[in-house]
Amino acid sequence: CEKVSELSGAAGVRCLAWSPDSRLLASGGKDAQVSIFDVLNGTMIVQLSTAAEWLCAVAFSRDCKWLATCGFGDEAVRLHPVPTEDDSSAGEPGDVDATLLP
């Protein structure tokens, strides 16, 4: 298999998620940050600090408006708005925390 492209991140990647339209790729890693890449042009569009420790899961909502993240040892799932082409405000205060129920 030939490597076609590489999207760089700051630390080891632990989880990946494709957006439903296959335009965006989110990666979470050991640096407790999520990077969202536009795979059509190979650029990182936003980087979010989301967890106290490394991230173990990322997932896009079906409408691609939200990204759910969960870090190792977290007791909550964080929901982050996904930026649009005209919006770079994702990850600012106003993120939603959803506590996991036992």
Side-chain angles (χ1 to χ4, degrees):
C1 182
E2 181 181 335
K3 180 171 74 171
V4 177
S5 180
E6 184 174 305
L7 303 170
S8 61
V13 174
R14 306 292 286 179
C15 52
L16 293 168
W18 284 99
S19 64
D21 62 3
S22 299
R23 183 175 161 244
L24 303 176
L25 179 66
S27 69
K30 295 178 184 178
D31 60 355
Q33 295 186 10
V34 171
S35 300
I36 301 177
F37 297 92
D38 182 328
V39 294
L40 297 179
N41 61 27
T43 59
M44 182 187 311
I45 60 171
V46 70
Q47 191 165 41
L48 310 167
S49 295
T50 65
E53 296 188 45
W54 56 270
L55 286 155
C56 55
V58 293
F60 283 95
S61 63
R62 185 178 296 179
D63 62 6
C64 203
K65 292 183 179 181
W66 295 93
L67 182 74
T69 64
C70 182
F72 179 77
D74 282 351
E75 295 182 9
V77 172
R78 287 185 165 266
L79 300 174
H80 308 274
V82 174
T84 62
E85 291 181 27
D86 301 326
D87 176 25
S88 60
S89 64
E92 292 183 355
D95 289 355
V96 177
D97 283 327
T99 303
L100 296 173
L101 300 174

